[in-house]
Every structure is written in C-alpha cells, then in structure tokens.
Amino acid sequence: MTKVSVIIPVYNTEDYLNECLDSIINQTLDDIEIICINDGSTDNSLSILEEYESKDSRIKLISQENNGLSFSRNVGLDMAEGKYIYFMDSDDVLELEALEKLYATAEKNELDMIIFKLINLNDEDKSLYTTDYYEMDFLKEIVNGNIFSYDDVKARVVDIAVTQQSKFYNRNLISDMEFPNGLIFEDHPFFMESFFRAERVFFYEEHLCKRRIRNQSITTSKNLRFADALPISTMIVDLAKKYNHYDELREVILNKKIKSAFNRFNSVEETYKKEFFERIRNDFPLVKDDVDNSNIDHKNRYVFDTALKSKNYREFELKVNYYLQGYFKEINAYEFIRIDMKNKGSENNSLEIIENSDKYLQFENAPWATDDTGEGFLIESHKGELDLKLKMINDGELSLWFKGADIRDENNNRIEILVDYTSLTINGKNYLSGHNLYGYDKAFPFKKDVKDCEIIDIHIEWMTYDKMNSYVDEIKKSEEQLNENKESQSEKFGLSKKSIKNIIKRN
C-alpha cells in the first residue's frame, strides 16, 4: 500500500503551480501518490501538470470541467489508495521533510489525525508571518504533547484551525466522507466531522506548510459566496447533533454562527449586502428556539435579534455597527432601558428577581446603592418588552427608577440617552402609557412600602431605536452634534449622515 496520497485540486494557479509541485515531488518520503485534479483551468495550469506527469510516474492527472474545490477534493479522495491522506492547495508550499515526519509520527502512535501549524506566505513581498489561528497555542496547553480526542478539548474544538493543509488523515477515518459541493468554507464541516470521529489525534508543533495569502483567492474575494457561511454553520449544527455533542457545544456553535454571519455580511461589497441580508433573515429563524434557550453572548444576541427585527439590510448594518462600536451614544439613541432597584430598610434588606422574560437580562450590582439601609442593583434589557417578578427580602420601601443607560463621552461626561417608555404596569395598575421620554438623569420613579416575601409584578414596554418615529426631531437634533471625525467613522461603514437620516425617515 502506498504510504501517503497527496490530493491537489488545481484551478488557474499557473504562477504558483511549479513551486507547489516541486515541494511535493521532492519530498524526502518517496512512497507517495500525487493526485492532481485540473478543475477546468483556463490558464496554463493543465500544460504544467501534463509536463510534471510526463516526468514523475507518481502523478495521477485528472482533468475535468470546473466543478469547484470540494468536488475536486472528493474526486481525489475517491481515487486515493494511500494509507494516509494529505490535501494540498496548488498555490501553497510544503516543507520537504513534512510528509516523512507526519507519516513516521502517525505510524509510531497509530494516529487517526495529525494537526500541525501553518505559516502564512505573503504573495506580494514573500514574507512569512504567523497568526494565532494557525499557531493554536491554546491546543498546545490543553494536550501538552499527548494524544487526544474531542473529549479532551470539547468546546475549544471551534477554535482549532480547520484549514485542510494543516491536517494529515488516516484514510480509514475519512474515506466515506465528502466535502460539501458548491460551497466555500468547506473545510469547516469536513474537519469537524473528522475530529468528532477521531480517537487518536496528535498536535505536531512545527510549521510544515506555507499557506500563500493572495488577493485573488476564493476567500479573499468578498462577494456573495461569503453567504455560504450560513449553510456551512447549519452543517456544523447538524454534525454536532449527529455525534451527540450538540448539548455541550450549542452555545459556542451558535455564538460562532451569529458572529461569523455578521462579520461576513459586513465585509462583502455593497452590491451583495441586500441578498446576503435576506439569506440571514431566512437562516436565523431555523435556530431561533436554540438561541432563545442558550446563554448566547450578549453582543451576538443583539446581532441575532436585530437581524430579525430590521426592515432592510441598511438598518441592520447601521444598528449593529453602531452598537458594536459604541456609537449609539452619538445619535442620542440606545437599545437598552435601565432600571435601578432597592428595598430600603435595614442593612439586611434586599430583593431578588424570581422571574423574568429576558433570558439575557444584564444584571449589575450597584455599590452606590448598597449601604446600611440595604443592597441595591440595576438591570438592563434591549428586548422592547419585559416582565419581572420581584420578591422582597425584609420589610422596607421598594424604590424603582425607570431610566436610560449611563453612556459617557471620552471625558467621562454623561450623555443624555432618552428611552420612550410606552407602558408600565405594576401589580396590575397602569403607571405609564402612550409616549414617555425618560433618561438617566430624568427617570420615572416608583416607591411602595413592602413586606417581607411580598411579590411585585412588573410589565414594561418601550420603543427601541427603530421604532422611535414619534421623536424624529429629537434624533435629528442629536445628529447635528456629530462632528467631522465621527462622520468619518460612519463612512467607514459606508454610512453617511445622509444615509442615517434616510433610514430614520423610512422608519
């Protein structure tokens, strides 16, 4: 049996193909087969492959119509006869002793898979540089030179570099697997499934491959294909369920899915954003129940909720970028309400939230409200509607302040953030209805004498940024305060003052 099968899909890489092939045919491990799949190249790649094939009997050349990277890799995997499999990209360069080192390590330890480091090769200046993603220092700390499997890393599996050029597989592990055809980011599900299957994995701490970074590659062409991140992430969810790991991976997978979706959307060219957003709107509801019942990072939860609520991609883009960059304060609009709470009495007085309708309610102790008269705290929510049930601890006076968030400028001066409270009901009695603008320094107060163990039911509704069409003048007034420096930040996202105003008008 051949020791190693090297599978190399080739598509229009004539400028790099010679260097790639030379790094394979000159490997110190001689017993290899080299399966080259010409995927409908329109440059001189096929001629180069034919020349190498004529000089080296280990090369097996297949030429086909253009079907994509996944299809080509699957063709190569079906043909492979080696005990081990290595997937090579036709613009990368393998260290000459790499396959010999990998083969010897795999044989000695009876491994299913080896994961090793890559080093980046800048195509423009030919410099080499490392990145944390391919260094995987966290993995080194976890496994400490030992053979490991999924059970040793669990949730950190999502942080392992998925790139195929950094993997060396036992063919028995992956022979019945396939890369997803027609999609980019195909490495993700393939690696995840192989890792779920593997019982003996080793982390080889050397840079054995130079991964070329060039502007024309698939993953640097920021077009609509970036939306493939959505079905790819669905495949990861399905694989985690298939191998019974979803319960323990649900939160990290969903966090990564949401974060990746927005980052990819945010990076594509303007031409593709409308369609990308529609795909997000079709994809996110598929995992809504899981998101609602998981402890998702608050930023990702905001992205998720905003995608489902936004009327169009421009609104989605504006709101999330402003939220992530902290720019909501500049236009006097914010998604959160804040409620300060205290049961005032003796030093042992306090209260607790025994029920609430926002799983991601932000809770913070308030040192300024904790003294010899009791312990206080504050909460924040962006849901637009909130139900609370409070339980009093000891007799006292309940004080609630319904307000806006505490947002400050670079000089630590508080900026007035107004929230439109449209409904407030406490123990069945209405206290607010219609439109009521309150902020941090202009809060709506509520006080009531309470008994130990008394229950207080609260229902609140408020208008978030996208609904504040009754207060366009307030927002416009604040917009005028934006200086030229802040305008440049908006333009960084492709959003001018004019576009912000247009979105407000449309809402």
Side-chain angles (χ1 to χ4, degrees), residues 302 318-319 322-323 326-337 404-405 407 415-420 437 463-468 471 474-476 478-479 500 504:
Y302 179 84
L318 170 70
K319 291 177 64 177
Y322 265 63
Y323 171 77
Y327 295 139
F328 265 122
K329 63 186 181 183
E330 298 164 10
I331 54 175
N332 201 25
Y334 204 65
E335 294 284 339
F336 292 83
I337 62 162
I407 305 296
I415 299 171
E416 184 182 23
I417 301 297
L418 300 178
V419 176
D420 183 7
L437 285 178
M463 283 192 169
T464 52
Y465 173 66
D466 64 319
K467 298 178 183 176
M468 292 182 66
Y471 294 97
E474 289 285 340
I475 297 173
K476 285 183 177 180
S478 297
E479 278 188 310
I500 296 171
I504 294 169

Side-chain angles (χ1 to χ4, degrees), residues 48 52 57 119 122 134 137 151 224 366 368 399 411 439 459 464 497:
I48 295 172
Y52 275 81
S57 61
I119 193 164
N122 187 309
Y134 294 125
D137 288 339
D151 289 334
L224 192 55
W368 46 262
S399 295
N411 298 317
H459 175 79
T464 52
K497 286 183 182 179

Side-chain angles (χ1 to χ4, degrees), residues 205-371:
E205 298 175 34
E206 285 189 27
H207 301 109
L208 297 180
C209 181
K210 298 183 180 73
R211 180 178 180 268
R212 193 182 303 271
I213 305 299
R214 56 191 179 96
N215 292 331
Q216 293 79 26
S217 66
I218 294 174
T219 52
T220 55
S221 300
K222 298 177 179 179
N223 56 35
L224 192 55
R225 296 200 68 187
F226 265 33
D228 288 352
L230 298 170
I232 289 292
S233 64
T234 299
M235 291 178 190
I236 302 301
V237 169
D238 292 341
L239 285 169
K241 292 178 179 178
K242 175 181 177 180
Y243 289 93
N244 299 315
H245 298 313
Y246 188 57
D247 287 345
E248 58 195 4
L249 292 180
R250 173 164 43 193
E251 291 175 8
V252 293
I253 289 176
L254 293 176
N255 272 314
K256 193 161 188 175
K257 172 186 177 68
I258 297 167
K259 182 178 180 180
S260 173
F262 179 74
N263 287 345
R264 299 295 186 189
F265 162 84
N266 209 32
S267 66
V268 299
E269 297 174 10
E270 185 71 19
T271 306
Y272 307 111
K273 288 190 173 181
K274 180 179 180 181
E275 174 63 22
F276 200 144
F277 174 67
E278 291 305 317
R279 296 189 187 187
I280 290 175
R281 288 289 299 270
N282 290 330
D283 178 86
F284 277 11
L286 300 177
V287 293
K288 188 177 187 307
D289 287 345
D290 287 347
V291 170
D292 287 343
N293 292 290
S294 301
N295 189 24
I296 303 300
D297 174 84
H298 199 275
K299 288 184 178 179
N300 290 328
R301 178 63 194 228
Y302 179 84
V303 172
F304 188 86
D305 287 347
T306 303
L308 297 183
K309 293 190 300 182
S310 295
K311 299 177 181 66
N312 52 59
Y313 82 93
R314 297 289 281 168
E315 179 183 348
F316 174 59
E317 179 180 43
L318 170 70
K319 291 177 64 177
V320 175
N321 274 320
Y322 265 63
Y323 171 77
L324 295 178
Q325 299 297 331
Y327 295 139
F328 265 122
K329 63 186 181 183
E330 298 164 10
I331 54 175
N332 201 25
Y334 204 65
E335 294 284 339
F336 292 83
I337 62 162
R338 167 172 165 162
I339 309 173
D340 293 3
M341 304 181 173
K342 184 171 183 176
N343 175 19
K344 187 176 180 179
S346 70
E347 63 180 0
N348 294 320
N349 274 43
S350 62
L351 69 160
E352 62 177 309
I353 300 173
I354 57 175
E355 290 183 19
N356 86 86
S357 59
D358 182 0
K359 183 179 178 63
Y360 305 99
L361 192 71
Q362 295 192 62
F363 177 99
E364 185 177 339
N365 290 322
W368 46 262
T370 299
D371 51 29

Side-chain angles (χ1 to χ4, degrees), residues 451-505:
K451 298 294 185 181
D452 184 35
C453 295
E454 183 175 346
I455 303 299
I456 305 295
D457 285 306
I458 302 172
H459 175 79
I460 321 154
E461 296 178 17
W462 64 96
M463 283 192 169
T464 52
Y465 173 66
D466 64 319
K467 298 178 183 176
M468 292 182 66
N469 49 18
S470 297
Y471 294 97
V472 172
D473 290 341
E474 289 285 340
I475 297 173
K476 285 183 177 180
K477 180 180 177 181
S478 297
E479 278 188 310
E480 292 171 0
Q481 299 173 4
L482 290 171
N483 58 36
E484 293 303 316
N485 181 52
K486 298 300 189 295
E487 181 180 351
S488 68
Q489 291 289 346
S490 295
E491 291 173 348
K492 176 182 178 181
F493 305 128
L495 298 166
S496 63
K497 286 183 182 179
K498 181 178 180 181
S499 66
I500 296 171
K501 291 179 180 178
N502 287 337
I503 290 173
I504 294 169
K505 289 176 181 177

